[in-house]
Amino acid sequence: MEVVMSLPLEPPKQKNDHKMWFASGFSCCLNARDRKIVCVTSGNSYFGSHLIKKLLACGYLVRVIIQNQANLEDMKELMREEIKQLESVVVARMADLESLCNAFRGCHAVFHTSSFIDPRGISGYTERMAFLEAEAAKNVIEACGRAAYVKRCIFTSSLLACIWKDNELPNLIDENSWSDEAFCRENKLWLALAKTRAEKAAWSKAREMKVKLVTLCPGLLMAPSFPNAHLETSVPYLKGGDFMLRQGILATEDVSKVAEAHIYVYEDMDYGAFGRYICFGKVVGTLEEATQLENCLNMHGHLSGDQSHSLAVAVDNYEIPPRITKSKLSRLLFRASQRLSCKQ
């Protein structure tokens, strides 16, 4: 494990031949010892950076994992002043179990946001990346079980892990729904395969290691800077987007709302949060909305231009009813708001 920390830095301290650099000050008024240390993987990703900012705003001490030192430059672009508030930034590869154990040591919880991204945003996921995603998930959960101060993991999955079937979809997709791996592989839905396999691997390893695990399955992440900052996942996510549109399962959510949902779920783990949570803000239900989504992503014609005339007419003539529910997350958010109002 190598830590390449935020400024200002204390002189490096050697421990087991690994560099340990830690921040010497924090902008938050809370005393550091009163705050819990939480660890976020893939802090250089677009979603990871949003989650980190939200955690810092809530007063948490945040330790961030990146896979190589070059990722630190990406973090600096995504987080400017916030990077100075981090407890530490750790270089730890997802395939290296020992380095993950070192990174998680002393943490109250681990937020595993993602393992691999496509930096070019054009080729999308590959079958090999789907395999690596699952292996990384197992390592993260095992390291959490071995080293975390409290064995808790908040795992970012995807709605794609719920919606792909080789037979007819149920009338309503909820947290009990799982994508079919064979169907994903046959149709080269590599991102869906990756998220499905990784989440299942995490649940299996969590039972083995007695780690308390919750997973969130968000729709397609959106933000004002989305086309430039997060295109690497929008391309593979929207493979098969015409089917999702037709079935009423093409859902999106603001990236900041997804980050907030992760924190609410984590904080509710003391009050009964469990299992999976589907997270989305809007289900695209008309051809007009699909066109707006394409324009927002700078992916013109991806959903509408290649559709058959019958599909275009079907979508344009009426609003397709949504077939997914987030009622479980809505109940959790309501409980959280009630607790907050009682404290005020």
Side-chain angles (χ1 to χ4, degrees):
M1 179 185 73
E2 183 181 14
V3 182
V4 290
M5 211 8 247
S6 60
L7 299 175
L9 298 175
E10 293 181 351
K13 299 177 181 179
Q14 295 294 328
K15 181 179 180 181
N16 297 330
D17 296 325
H18 296 298
K19 285 187 281 187
M20 305 288 293
W21 300 3
F22 293 97
S24 60
F26 302 92
S27 62
C28 184
C29 62
L30 293 176
N31 190 294
R33 67 174 178 269
D34 295 328
R35 293 186 287 167
K36 297 172 181 175
I37 299 177
V38 296
C39 188
V40 179
T41 65
S42 297
N44 60 304
S45 70
Y46 191 56
F47 173 67
S49 67
H50 274 77
L51 177 59
I52 291 164
K53 292 176 185 178
K54 295 289 184 182
L55 286 165
L56 289 171
C58 289
Y60 288 102
L61 288 171
V62 182
R63 184 177 299 167
V64 178
I65 289 182
I66 54 178
Q67 297 221 61
N68 54 68
Q69 289 202 25
N71 294 151
L72 189 61
E73 296 304 313
D74 297 330
M75 284 185 61
K76 289 177 180 178
E77 288 295 318
L78 294 168
M79 295 181 291
R80 304 207 178 259
E81 291 302 314
E82 292 91 350
I83 201 167
K84 300 177 183 179
Q85 303 171 30
L86 298 175
E87 187 265 354
S88 57
V89 179
V90 178
V91 175
R93 296 192 177 277
M94 297 295 161
D96 187 344
L97 179 60
E98 190 61 32
S99 68
L100 287 175
C101 287
N102 290 333
F104 294 166
R105 209 168 304 283
C107 291
H108 188 264
V110 173
F111 289 83
H112 182 49
T113 65
S114 179
S115 298
F116 304 94
I117 58 174
D118 172 20
R120 294 177 177 80
I122 51 176
S123 62
Y125 268 59
T126 64
E127 186 173 13
R128 172 64 178 169
M129 292 171 77
F131 169 79
L132 294 174
E133 194 86 54
E135 292 302 302
K138 289 189 285 188
N139 281 344
V140 165
I141 299 299
E142 181 160 349
C144 186
R146 287 191 189 183
Y149 175 63
V150 177
K151 298 180 179 182
R152 292 185 176 187
C153 182
I154 301 85
F155 188 100
T156 309
S157 182
S158 172
L159 185 59
L160 294 179
C162 308
I163 62 175
W164 291 107
K165 300 281 187 180
D166 60 354
N167 48 25
E168 190 171 334
L169 289 174
N171 290 330
L172 190 65
I173 292 173
D174 61 13
E175 287 77 10
N176 294 314
S177 304
W178 285 92
S179 291
D180 183 87
E181 292 184 36
F183 180 82
C184 292
R185 187 176 291 105
E186 180 181 346
N187 290 276
K188 299 184 181 348
L189 299 165
W190 303 130
L191 182 58
L193 178 64
K195 296 305 179 184
T196 304
R197 291 191 61 190
E199 189 184 351
K200 286 184 175 180
W203 280 114
S204 177
K205 183 60 72 171
R207 288 189 289 269
E208 176 187 333
M209 300 298 297
K210 295 181 171 54
V211 170
K212 189 170 184 181
L213 175 68
V214 290
T215 64
L216 283 94
C217 302
L220 180 64
L221 303 183
M222 301 293 294
S225 57
F226 186 95
N228 297 324
H230 209 60
L231 190 59
E232 69 270 5
T233 54
S234 65
V235 172
Y237 188 103
L238 288 173
K239 186 171 185 180
D242 56 338
F243 175 84
M244 288 189 275
L245 174 63
R246 190 167 60 243
Q247 295 295 322
I249 54 177
L250 177 54
T252 64
E253 180 58 296
D254 185 280
V255 65
S256 294
K257 296 291 186 183
V258 176
E260 290 174 1
H262 277 65
I263 298 173
Y264 280 123
V265 168
Y266 162 51
E267 293 181 343
D268 199 69
M269 291 176 80
D270 286 330
Y271 302 95
F274 69 98
R276 309 171 82 202
Y277 291 87
I278 288 177
C279 177
F280 64 91
K282 176 181 176 57
V283 177
V284 179
T286 67
L287 189 60
E288 179 182 0
E289 291 174 345
T291 303
Q292 290 174 351
L293 178 60
E294 292 173 341
N295 294 338
C296 192
L297 300 176
N298 198 23
M299 296 171 63
H300 307 290
H302 190 85
L303 297 172
S304 59
D306 297 329
Q307 309 302 329
S308 66
H309 175 71
S310 60
L311 173 59
V313 171
V315 175
D316 198 35
N317 284 348
Y318 66 92
E319 183 173 357
I320 296 175
R323 296 176 65 182
I324 51 179
T325 177
K326 59 174 182 177
S327 59
K328 184 180 176 184
L329 180 61
S330 297
R331 290 193 298 269
L332 183 148
L333 296 179
F334 177 75
R335 292 198 307 268
S337 66
Q338 292 294 101
R339 287 196 303 272
L340 183 61
S341 63
C342 290
K343 292 178 181 178
Q344 293 176 345

